[in-house]
Amino acid sequence: MEEKIKIGFYALTSCYGCQLQLAMMDELLQLISNAEIVCWYMLDGKSLEDEPVDIAFIEGSVSTEEEVELVKKIRENAKIVVAVGSCAVQGGVQSWEQDKNLEDLWKTVYGDGKVKFQPKMAEPVSKYIKVDYNIYGCPPEKRDFLYALGTFLVGSWPEDIDYPVCLECRLNGNPCVLLERGEPCLGPITRAGCDARCPAYGIACIGCRGAIDYDVAWFDSLARVFREKGLTREEILERMRIFNAHNPKLEEMVEKIFGGESQ
Ligand code: SF4
Ligand code: SF4
Ligand code: SF4
């Protein structure tokens, strides 16, 4: 009998929304017949985190010292490591205040509350281990996950998306909230794949799928539009930090958009 592909789902610090999204997919049952789920606490409390797996899916940001050790262990035991969702890929919204002091943040939220773990500032999984593939979004789209898992299960490798949300938005014929209402939509510099979900409801994109590669976004036209609409460098930078606080090119990118001119 053919050996099944072993899969593990692991959760770090997160809202568990990505896992929930995956657990609720009927389509998963069809794919999973070719696989064995070795670890997934949300579905089975007796899951073993130490078992070797072919594919490890990791949700959440690395936000405790214990999680640093956990991701290293997962990497040692897995042939392929996939970061799932904005928390795992970019560090999530919990990385927004990177420039603040952990103790001050802790006191603001928990006061003098004590915990059994050693907290640290939230960081993406790739900060500590090699990640082989990213599934973007907060939470990711079902089809992204099914595409990645299905492709791995047939022994191939999924492609990455290298075009911005604007492309899908234009194809869907949504009114542009940036051009028509002057709202700070990050669609031009955010990785597509969500079918322009937010602009489809008249809401400006906040970049949950992460900034698209620096050299493919449309900086020149974007700079002109942002300026025309009276949006400042600080406004755009602050908005991009929500989901891109760890992007090493963030400031450079915003600098390029605004051409180094003071606003
Ligand atoms: S990426 Fe979003 S949905 Fe997924 S765990 Fe993080 S906050 Fe929750
Ligand atoms: S609404 Fe946003 S995503 Fe859509 S075209 Fe305008 S800028 Fe791009
Ligand atoms: S439009 Fe932007 S914020 Fe909304 S789901 Fe897509 S990438 Fe995320």
Side-chain angles (χ1 to χ4, degrees), residues 101-114 119:
N101 176 285
L102 176 65
E103 278 180 28
D104 294 342
L105 289 172
W106 183 269
K107 269 203 174 321
T108 305
V109 180
Y110 300 108
D112 293 326
K114 299 273 182 280

Side-chain angles (χ1 to χ4, degrees), residues 231-248:
L231 298 165
T232 65
R233 174 196 283 116
E234 287 67 34
E235 264 177 298
I236 297 302
L237 186 58
E238 189 60 13
R239 195 168 170 83
M240 288 185 77
R241 275 206 190 101
I242 299 172
F243 279 104
N244 293 279
H246 288 286
N247 187 322

Side-chain angles (χ1 to χ4, degrees), residues 165 190-191 194 196-199 205-209:
V165 173
T190 299
R191 180 177 290 97
C194 60
R197 183 175 297 277
C198 301
C205 172
I206 53 171
C208 81
R209 295 176 63 87

Side-chain angles (χ1 to χ4, degrees), residues 30 36 74 94 101 106 114 137 140 143 159 161 171 173 205 217:
Q30 292 162 24
E36 177 190 350
I74 294 169
Q94 55 271 43
N101 176 285
W106 183 269
K114 299 273 182 280
R143 68 175 175 211
E159 288 187 9
I161 291 173
L171 286 173
C205 172

Side-chain angles (χ1 to χ4, degrees), residues 38-238:
V38 172
C39 178
W40 193 348
Y41 273 109
M42 182 179 266
L43 301 188
D44 181 358
K46 296 195 208 87
S47 291
L48 299 172
E49 280 176 347
D50 290 329
E51 291 282 301
V53 293
D54 295 294
I55 313 169
F57 292 94
I58 306 180
E59 171 201 83
S61 60
V62 182
S63 308
T64 68
E65 297 301 337
E66 291 81 355
E67 286 173 349
V68 173
E69 297 312 311
L70 175 58
V71 290
K72 288 179 185 167
K73 189 165 68 179
I74 294 169
R75 178 72 267 185
E76 273 171 27
N77 285 333
K79 290 181 188 155
I80 298 172
V81 170
V82 182
V84 180
S86 307
C87 293
V89 178
Q90 294 121 248
V93 284
Q94 55 271 43
S95 293
W96 192 353
E97 306 268 37
Q98 273 307 303
D99 48 344
K100 300 262 166 59
N101 176 285
L102 176 65
E103 278 180 28
D104 294 342
L105 289 172
W106 183 269
K107 269 203 174 321
T108 305
V109 180
Y110 300 108
D112 293 326
K114 299 273 182 280
V115 285
K116 287 184 185 159
F117 49 85
Q118 188 61 43
K120 58 182 278 310
M121 294 299 276
E123 290 179 298
V125 174
S126 61
K127 180 82 193 280
Y128 293 97
I129 58 168
K130 178 173 175 279
V131 170
D132 301 303
Y133 189 74
N134 292 318
I135 300 180
Y136 303 96
C138 178
E141 301 296 315
K142 273 167 63 168
R143 68 175 175 211
D144 282 0
F145 180 74
L146 290 173
Y147 166 62
L149 178 59
T151 310
F152 287 134
L153 289 180
V154 297
S156 187
W157 197 262
E159 288 187 9
D160 218 345
I161 291 173
D162 63 355
Y163 49 88
V165 173
C166 278
L167 191 140
E168 291 174 334
C169 194
R170 295 293 82 214
L171 286 173
N172 288 339
N174 301 327
C176 178
V177 297
L178 173 60
L179 291 179
E180 295 184 17
R181 304 210 307 251
E183 293 188 11
C185 186
L186 297 185
I189 38 183
T190 299
R191 180 177 290 97
C194 60
D195 221 15
R197 183 175 297 277
C198 301
Y201 290 100
I203 300 166
C205 172
I206 53 171
C208 81
R209 295 176 63 87
I212 195 149
D213 281 350
Y214 178 59
D215 50 349
V216 294
W218 306 324
F219 288 100
D220 296 343
S221 51
L222 191 57
R224 183 171 47 77
V225 176
F226 279 163
R227 282 206 200 97
E228 276 173 12
K229 300 298 174 190
L231 298 165
T232 65
R233 174 196 283 116
E234 287 67 34
E235 264 177 298
I236 297 302
L237 186 58
E238 189 60 13

Side-chain angles (χ1 to χ4, degrees), residues 251-263:
E251 299 222 1
E252 191 184 336
M253 191 185 289
V254 175
E255 214 42 40
K256 187 164 181 188
I257 292 171
F258 286 94
E261 293 175 19
S262 59
Q263 296 297 308

